[in-house]
Amino acid sequence: MTERFSFKAEDVGDVKQEAMSWADRKLIKNEDGKPSFPKKFARRGPNSRESAPDPFPETLPIGDASLARHDAGASNFDPTQMRSNLTKKRAEITKMNFEARLTQTARAEILNKEEGGFLETDDDAFTRNISQRQIVDSVDMASASKHFDLHLEQFGPYKIDYTDNGRHLLIGGKRGHIAAFDWHTKHLHTENNVMEAVRDVKFLHTHNMMAVSQKNYTYIYDNVGTELHCLKNFHQVLQLEFLSKHFLLVGGGRNSFLRYLDVSVGQLVTEFPTRQGPLDVMCQNPTNAIIHTGHSDGTVSLWSPNSKEPLVRMLTHNGIVRGLAVDNTGHYMVSTGGEGKCKIWDLRMYKQIAAYRMPSLIGRVAISDTRTVACAVGNTVQTFKDMHLGLTREPYLVHRCAGVVSDLRFVPFEDVLGVGHSAGFTSLLIPGSGQANVDLMRANPYETSKQRKEREVKQLLEKIPCEMITLDPDDIARVDTETLERKEDERKKSLLLGNRPPIKFTPRHRMKGRGSALNKERRRETVTQMKRRGRNDEIKQIENEYLTDEPREKPKKAKQDDATPSQHVLDRFRVKS
Amino acid sequence: MKVKVISRNPDDYQRETNADIHKLVRNYNVDKDPFQTQTEYVRAMNATKLERVFAKPFVASLDGHQEGVNVLANHPFRSSTIISGARDGQIKIWDLPRKTCISTIQAHRGLINGLSVDQSQGTQMVTVGSDSQIKIWRVPITGEEDGLDEPVHSIPLDEVAHSVSHIANSVEFVTSGDTVNVWRPQRDSPIRTYNLGVSTIHCARANPVEEAVIVGLTLDRSIFVLDTRQKTPLKKVTMKLRPNMVTWNPMEPFMFSVANDDYNAYTFDMRYLQQPTKVHQGHTMAVIDVAYSPTGREIVTGSFDRTMRIFGTESASSREVFHTKRMQHVLSVLYSADDKFVLSGSNEMNIRVWKSNPAEKLGPKTKREDAALKYAQKLRQQYKEHPEIRRIQRHRHVPSSVHNQANELRVIRSSKQKKEERRIIHNNAKPQRPNHMVDEPAEQDE
């Protein structure tokens, strides 16, 4: 006989649910309706004991402006777009995490210790009347040492370059003199005369390697002056640029060739003629690694190594383009022209924002972290503030150099402008032109040699392949719907235009006496007819879609009152029925 | 005139002595790095490639059995103990960290059909063999105890018992043969018997959480779920080919997985048995055994095609496939209690230990290492839909016979699908969901 047992689970006492199960986790909303971390998961600080009361119980409010500054899309994230309840809950938690990170980052602004530079005159006098001597006498000793003059009259107009962290300076004179030194401590790395014309100099990813474009070829030197490489491909290069995230050395040549060399593996990526004349005005856009070149017909072209044709061509000036610069955010481009204009362009819409009339001797231009523009006009350097807002009426600061100015560069993270001219090199103090708070994860002006080595290795590991250089670097995160649509469109259009390849179908050859010719023919006929019918149906559908004149949605006819029909001139001829 | 120039104190940015760590001053106010997405993509690509470089799943081979290993079992409390039963009636208790055999017991004269360790105390284990006996043994701890060779209790049966499984939190166990019997260790006759028809029940598993629910497989290709509180089974459904093994999900106790002869593994919800909730496809020959991970999120299946696959419970395709030239038909699989290892018992008398995450670094990790590995994992997850990264992540090498067979199966499936599509177009019929079960009217058993 089978016994019956009743199995009832008995509760052993009251079991409290301590841990929040994942499925039960609910958003805890504050009084103002904003979600916050559940208190259970809040970090415990030193004042978490009940005995010590918190002297500042209210949380400090965060301004909406600073929240908006750090918002990289957290507010656009919409959990209600998710399809299932489970993913919706997960998305809500993700959004909560994003917003918590947003508030923490906005609060961390208080950690920025440094403040930017400024220059204020008494009695509303013009700042352009203040000389460098006056500024240097008024600032502290460390800043005063940042202003210095190198009198090198023999070796011709100098081209200059700073490393990405603004610590090391490289100068190259036209008559062959090259020197690399740490301009903070004035410690000289190497000084050499290459006995040839030097057209341009450029640091590579560290101050240990420099590229020098000489009379015929481009050479790469070490920090002690050893010649490492001779780049025979880079023939008569007038301008050099280095794309640091891609390890690409770009040379614009006298024969209008643009050459890209991958310095990490030492291979020429691409070279092509731009057919716009010698490329002596060139700059890179630091946000998307696109090369901007200015030509003698007043146009500026934007180049990427993936296409032989320019991505964008802008008509900027009536005369030749003398100088180009793009700011750090990639939003503004400054260009100077031979007709004596300095223009600011919006690079998102490729439209002009402002144009300023300048002396026609205007040459090169540079733009700083805080969008201070420096223009070279003959022997003088004129700096301007807020050109991109259209408010500039007079220069900010002016300085006369000992020779004709040949190169201008702002030092990143410092209020310093480096000027290379025909009598040597000058370093000028321009208060308010540099970004005060430096993020050491991006660029470290105080890096030790060990840190530099680690950075080099990490940079090499994260080297972006050159195929990814496009106008919008965020394209990689988007779905490529355009290509799919374009392919579909092209296929449909080719069908419409009569591109109908003959349908070939071979039926399976059956063995062992089962493959009769008659059945084979029958099968071939039926299948080809079926396919042909399918294709004709598709063509008819495409024709309806593309070729009919009728609008797809017929507009609803307005309801007419029977008492007052619409009247027409010819109504009296209508047959009354 | 008031003038200020940026003047930084280098002491704020440089460390004082060599013994300090470097200072990292951050500016969160600065614009987002414009190349951030592209850099992350490159990092994700590197992380994916490195994962494949470090993917070395094979850990160890446990040698010693003299016949094919067809049963593997975990100890419920001691995660270092594994018990295996072979086809010559021998059971071995292994110490997994040391990869040694603690003790060997000649349990039966014939196949070991089933093996189960007591869930409530872990001191006794029950084996059933093809010599129609149920034997209860002491589980050795060190292997040097006396009296391990003799069973604590031995029960002769009229029929061959095909499987044994302990009931949740209890010393009672369930055996199945012609009928389903519930036993208590000291008794010589079952305390309850369920007669479910004429077919032999070749596998019965008690739910690890609900003491009253048992799932079983009969030789007429059907799955039944039995509630011991009621007289008749809850439900019975029939599949198209014979299911070989069934296991309960330890975390979601209303789900169970079934390994089937039609090259698939199926996951069912006990409440809705009409169709499986998930079909796990990937094997190219009959799936012999299935086991759940202790997290309840993954299953491992062993098949006749000499490979083992790990599937996510929610995914139809396998995450990993393990194979070796030396491993022949996989007769039994097991997930270790810490979710890190997978064990396979095979035809050629070896038990192999594999890492369930082949690229995982075992052992203690420094905080930085751990953070870097977690970052790499998150990157792989975030960018897994990009075509290049997906191609590298999904690629696994399989033996050429498996590869060719998989291609053939793909062609077969696609031709069936095409035929179905044309039938629908031709008859203007509605598309039907694929039916994995045989539609039968509900049977009433006494």
Side-chain angles (χ1 to χ4, degrees):
Chain A
M1 202 182 91
T2 56
E3 287 187 72
R4 284 209 167 271
F5 289 93
S6 62
F7 298 93
K8 270 189 199 164
E10 286 175 19
D11 284 330
V12 184
D14 249 344
V15 179
K16 275 190 194 162
Q17 256 197 322
E18 271 293 301
M20 250 196 214
S21 80
W22 190 90
D24 285 345
R25 193 190 293 204
K26 289 193 177 93
L27 285 176
I28 294 168
K29 303 222 171 179
N30 276 339
E31 292 85 34
D32 45 331
K34 289 216 169 99
S36 72
F37 269 125
K39 289 271 164 55
K40 199 163 180 57
F41 301 107
R43 283 183 181 270
R44 290 181 180 273
N47 290 333
S48 66
R49 292 175 199 278
E50 281 90 15
S51 52
D54 190 355
F56 305 104
E58 299 97 27
T59 50
L60 206 61
I62 312 166
D64 283 334
S66 51
L67 278 178
R69 244 200 308 263
H70 295 279
D71 190 351
S75 50
N76 294 339
F77 186 64
D78 192 7
T80 53
Q81 294 280 346
M82 304 287 164
R83 284 194 205 163
S84 78
N85 276 336
L86 184 64
T87 44
K88 224 180 262 192
K89 274 192 182 170
R90 279 192 192 148
E92 276 169 6
I93 291 170
T94 313
K95 177 149 186 161
M96 198 166 78
N97 285 336
F98 282 164
E99 289 183 345
R101 187 177 74 180
L102 191 59
T103 50
Q104 295 289 74
T105 314
R107 279 192 201 286
E109 278 182 16
I110 207 170
L111 296 170
N112 291 347
K113 292 199 308 190
E114 313 280 352
E115 284 164 9
F118 60 87
L119 177 62
E120 281 169 16
T121 48
D122 320 314
D123 308 327
D124 289 328
F126 286 129
T127 53
R128 62 175 152 87
N129 295 325
I130 295 172
S131 70
Q132 281 288 303
R133 183 54 35 205
Q134 279 176 298
I135 295 175
V136 166
D137 288 339
S138 314
V139 292
D140 57 300
M141 209 164 68
S143 306
S145 70
K146 289 182 185 167
H147 166 75
F148 61 94
D149 251 312
L150 295 176
H151 299 284
L152 304 158
E153 292 92 355
Q154 293 177 308
F155 294 108
Y158 277 82
K159 290 284 170 95
I160 63 174
D161 187 38
Y162 287 96
T163 48
D164 282 337
N165 58 6
R167 187 61 190 252
H168 304 274
L169 170 61
L170 171 64
I171 58 173
K174 197 154 191 193
R175 297 208 181 92
H177 177 221
I178 49 175
F181 56 102
D182 175 353
W183 67 274
H184 278 223
T185 59
K186 316 291 188 294
H187 168 76
L188 182 72
H189 297 310
T190 180
E191 184 179 19
N192 196 7
N193 193 310
V194 297
M195 308 305 275
E196 260 192 339
V198 164
R199 297 212 174 91
D200 199 8
V201 287
K202 195 87 189 140
F203 271 127
L204 298 188
H205 55 289
T206 55
H207 67 274
N208 285 340
M209 291 174 80
M210 52 186 115
V212 177
S213 150
Q214 296 179 203
K215 178 175 160 201
N216 283 327
Y217 306 117
T218 304
Y219 294 81
I220 296 186
Y221 293 94
D222 199 13
N223 63 333
V224 295
T226 327
E227 179 190 313
L228 295 176
H229 301 282
C230 168
L231 307 171
K232 286 262 165 68
N233 282 324
F234 275 50
H235 185 70
Q236 293 195 336
V237 164
L238 298 177
Q239 276 274 62
L240 285 169
E241 277 293 334
F242 186 67
L243 308 173
S244 56
K245 299 267 175 173
H246 307 76
F247 277 81
L248 287 176
L249 182 65
V250 187
R254 192 187 253 178
N255 54 0
S256 87
F257 262 72
L258 196 61
R259 297 181 177 95
Y260 287 79
L261 172 83
D262 189 337
V263 296
S264 59
V265 291
Q267 276 175 4
L268 189 72
V269 171
T270 180
E271 60 179 348
F272 49 85
T274 60
R275 283 182 257 267
Q276 309 279 345
L279 300 174
D280 53 355
V281 176
M282 194 164 88
C283 81
Q284 68 161 299
N285 184 338
T287 54
N288 57 9
I290 298 280
I291 299 289
H292 298 228
T293 52
H295 311 296
S296 52
D297 57 358
T299 57
V300 167
S301 310
L302 274 57
W303 303 93
S304 114
N306 303 321
S307 102
K308 302 278 193 281
E309 295 297 317
L311 301 176
V312 179
R313 289 192 71 197
M314 296 164 65
L315 179 60
T316 48
H317 288 280
N318 284 332
I320 65 172
V321 179
R322 287 262 177 80
L324 272 184
V326 179
D327 85 319
N328 272 356
T329 58
H331 202 176
Y332 302 106
M333 179 171 83
V334 188
S335 66
T336 53
E339 81 273 20
K341 286 269 171 70
C342 175
K343 295 188 181 181
I344 313 280
W345 302 86
D346 181 341
L347 276 181
R348 306 281 152 83
M349 305 300 299
Y350 305 106
K351 289 212 168 90
Q352 180 181 313
I353 292 176
Y356 300 91
R357 196 152 51 93
M358 308 277 286
S360 61
L361 269 179
I362 191 162
R364 289 184 163 264
V365 72
I367 186 166
S368 82
D369 297 338
T370 56
R371 304 200 186 114
T372 307
V373 176
C375 303
V377 181
N379 270 23
T380 59
V381 174
Q382 299 186 6
T383 55
F384 301 89
K385 272 205 180 273
D386 293 340
M387 258 190 162
H388 61 286
L389 301 173
L391 303 172
T392 319
R393 293 283 170 265
E394 65 278 323
Y396 175 55
L397 285 174
V398 175
H399 180 85
R400 188 176 199 83
C401 300
V404 175
V405 174
S406 52
D407 204 359
L408 288 174
R409 272 191 215 267
F410 276 100
V411 184
F413 312 117
E414 296 283 346
D415 279 342
V416 172
L417 170 69
V419 181
H421 47 82
S422 57
F425 171 80
T426 311
S427 176
L428 302 174
L429 293 180
I430 315 283
S433 62
Q435 189 184 68
N437 289 296
V438 54
D439 191 353
L440 292 190
M441 284 195 83
R442 301 263 189 102
N444 192 346
Y446 302 97
E447 66 183 0
T448 60
S449 64
K450 272 215 179 112
Q451 283 180 317
R452 180 191 43 81
K453 286 172 192 164
E454 299 267 330
R455 169 177 66 86
E456 231 179 309
V457 170
K458 286 226 164 65
Q459 256 184 305
L460 278 167
L461 283 174
E462 289 165 11
K463 179 187 87 160
I464 300 172
C466 68
E467 289 87 19
M468 286 212 234
I469 296 179
T470 54
L471 284 170
D472 186 0
D474 281 341
D475 261 350
I476 190 95
R478 296 196 192 111
V479 179
D480 193 8
T481 46
E482 277 177 12
T483 315
L484 197 64
E485 282 173 8
R486 194 166 39 87
K487 274 189 190 159
E488 265 301 296
D489 272 343
E490 274 173 17
R491 194 181 65 85
K492 284 181 185 169
K493 276 173 193 161
S494 73
L495 273 179
L496 267 185
L497 291 172
N499 174 26
R500 289 161 208 198
I503 297 172
K504 283 194 188 127
F505 174 72
T506 40
R508 187 162 64 105
H509 180 65
R510 303 186 76 183
M511 308 284 283
K512 296 187 186 170
R514 289 193 289 262
S516 105
L518 182 62
N519 284 341
K520 215 172 174 180
E521 274 312 304
R522 271 203 204 125
R523 178 147 169 78
R524 179 179 292 141
E525 278 301 310
T526 39
V527 171
T528 38
Q529 272 178 21
M530 206 167 69
K531 287 191 175 177
R532 199 174 289 137
R533 209 178 296 137
R535 192 167 68 182
N536 289 341
D537 285 342
E538 203 187 351
I539 291 171
K540 212 173 277 180
Q541 210 180 7
I542 296 168
E543 277 174 3
N544 284 339
E545 209 183 308
Y546 280 102
L547 294 182
T548 48
D549 292 328
E550 297 165 0
R552 286 202 195 115
E553 291 170 345
K554 292 197 177 136
K556 289 181 192 164
K557 289 183 187 160
K559 282 184 190 168
Q560 292 174 346
D561 288 336
D562 289 329
T564 54
S566 64
Q567 292 179 332
H568 195 266
V569 170
L570 302 171
D571 269 349
R572 61 186 191 276
F573 300 110
R574 196 164 281 180
V575 171
K576 283 174 191 144
S577 58
Chain B
M1 182 185 73
K2 289 200 206 92
V3 61
K4 178 188 181 288
V5 175
I6 293 173
S7 171
R8 290 192 195 95
N9 185 357
D11 290 340
D12 294 339
Y13 298 86
Q14 291 169 323
R15 61 180 184 179
E16 287 176 8
T17 64
N18 277 354
D20 295 333
I21 57 168
H22 287 289
K23 290 189 179 157
L24 187 65
V25 178
R26 298 299 308 271
N27 177 7
Y28 296 101
N29 208 11
V30 78
D31 279 342
K32 172 181 103 108
D33 179 15
F35 290 105
Q36 182 178 316
T37 327
Q38 293 188 346
T39 316
E40 272 186 3
Y41 176 82
V42 173
R43 283 183 191 158
M45 179 68 103
N46 289 344
T48 315
K49 290 181 183 173
L50 279 177
E51 193 218 2
R52 291 286 94 220
V53 165
F54 289 121
K56 296 184 173 120
F58 183 66
V59 174
S61 171
L62 303 176
D63 206 11
H65 271 294
Q66 282 152 1
E67 246 285 5
V69 178
N70 71 338
V71 184
L72 281 174
N74 257 329
H75 193 278
F77 310 125
R78 281 189 267 131
S79 47
S80 60
T81 309
I82 302 288
I83 308 164
S84 62
R87 288 202 283 210
D88 62 350
Q90 232 184 28
I91 56 176
K92 275 180 183 278
I93 296 100
W94 303 87
D95 183 15
L96 204 52
R98 294 196 188 93
K99 301 168 213 158
T100 54
C101 175
I102 299 177
S103 118
T104 311
I105 305 171
Q106 181 63 43
H108 290 273
R109 272 180 306 163
L111 287 183
I112 304 262
N113 273 333
L115 193 152
S116 177
V117 186
D118 163 25
Q119 298 289 319
S120 61
Q121 280 146 19
T123 50
Q124 291 193 335
M125 61 181 172
V126 182
T127 62
V128 290
S130 58
D131 56 353
S132 320
Q133 300 231 323
I134 301 176
K135 293 196 179 173
I136 302 173
W137 309 83
R138 270 177 56 202
V139 180
I141 299 174
T142 54
E144 280 126 42
E145 298 103 322
D146 295 324
L148 287 175
D149 292 334
E150 290 300 315
V152 167
H153 193 61
S154 174
I155 308 165
L157 300 171
D158 298 330
E159 45 166 28
V160 174
H162 287 278
S163 76
V164 67
S165 162
H166 269 92
I167 291 181
N169 304 326
S170 160
V171 291
E172 294 172 5
F173 54 92
V174 174
T175 62
S176 74
D178 295 333
T179 54
V180 174
N181 303 321
V182 183
W183 303 80
R184 196 163 271 175
Q186 287 79 31
R187 306 281 200 91
D188 271 349
S189 63
I191 52 176
R192 249 169 297 132
T193 306
Y194 297 94
N195 198 330
L196 300 174
V198 282
S199 351
T200 318
I201 301 145
H202 66 270
C203 189
R205 290 278 180 265
N207 194 314
V209 174
E210 284 284 336
E211 302 107 354
V213 180
I214 298 168
V215 72
L217 309 171
T218 62
L219 271 186
D220 63 350
R221 300 171 279 122
S222 44
I223 307 171
F224 66 87
V225 177
L226 171 69
D227 188 333
T228 56
R229 293 169 288 201
Q230 297 174 20
K231 202 175 179 189
T232 52
L234 283 173
K235 266 200 180 88
K236 186 174 178 188
V237 285
T238 309
M239 302 201 75
K240 288 186 177 164
L241 284 182
R242 193 186 86 148
N244 288 322
M245 181 59 68
V246 64
T247 0
W248 287 101
N249 185 333
M251 281 290 143
E252 288 180 346
F254 46 87
M255 308 286 280
F256 61 87
S257 282
V258 159
N260 204 309
D261 263 351
D262 66 353
Y263 313 171
N264 297 337
Y266 297 90
T267 302
F268 284 90
D269 188 330
M270 170 178 94
R271 305 166 290 187
Y272 316 108
L273 274 183
Q274 302 87 17
Q275 288 292 332
T277 53
K278 209 77 200 170
V279 180
H280 306 286
Q281 290 180 328
H283 279 294
T284 56
M285 285 177 106
V287 186
I288 308 287
D289 197 5
V290 67
Y292 259 96
S293 150
T295 62
R297 296 281 184 95
E298 288 185 333
I299 54 170
V300 60
T301 55
S303 135
F304 209 65
D305 67 356
R306 296 164 288 130
T307 61
M308 254 169 61
R309 281 177 193 262
I310 298 183
F311 295 87
T313 329
E314 309 277 311
S315 82
S317 61
S318 62
R319 167 173 79 84
E320 292 291 342
V321 54
F322 299 142
H323 60 91
T324 327
K325 253 192 200 159
R326 298 192 178 190
M327 181 163 77
Q328 301 304 316
H329 307 135
V330 180
L331 299 177
S332 56
V333 288
L334 185 69
Y335 235 109
S336 77
D338 63 347
D339 184 39
K340 282 203 162 96
F341 299 101
V342 176
L343 286 97
S344 67
S346 61
N347 213 357
E348 26 75 37
M349 311 161 217
N350 271 335
I351 302 169
R352 286 187 177 77
V353 185
W354 312 77
K355 286 201 277 193
S356 67
N357 282 321
E360 184 187 356
K361 182 176 177 193
L362 302 172
K365 289 175 254 199
T366 60
K367 269 194 178 173
R368 284 198 179 191
E369 201 177 4
D370 198 28
L373 289 169
K374 284 207 168 75
Y375 180 50
Q377 190 185 25
K378 182 68 182 174
L379 277 172
R380 284 194 292 269
Q381 190 192 332
Q382 188 77 4
Y383 284 85
K384 69 175 186 280
E385 302 296 335
H386 283 72
E388 295 241 332
I389 291 183
R390 189 178 66 202
R391 189 181 68 93
I392 296 173
Q393 229 173 36
R394 281 181 10 161
H395 174 259
R396 298 286 184 279
H397 176 255
V398 286
S400 55
S401 60
V402 172
H403 184 73
N404 296 336
Q405 177 75 351
N407 284 343
E408 211 179 293
L409 287 174
R410 195 179 308 130
V411 167
I412 292 171
R413 280 194 200 117
S414 73
S415 76
K416 277 193 187 145
Q417 199 180 354
K418 260 191 255 178
K419 193 166 183 171
E420 182 65 24
E421 278 168 16
R422 285 177 192 150
R423 184 190 72 84
I424 288 166
I425 293 170
H426 189 72
N427 294 343
N428 281 337
K430 273 190 296 185
Q432 288 175 348
R433 294 187 82 200
N435 196 2
H436 298 281
M437 319 295 283
V438 170
D439 292 325
E440 268 183 18
E443 284 182 31
Q444 282 297 316
D445 300 285
E446 354 75 89

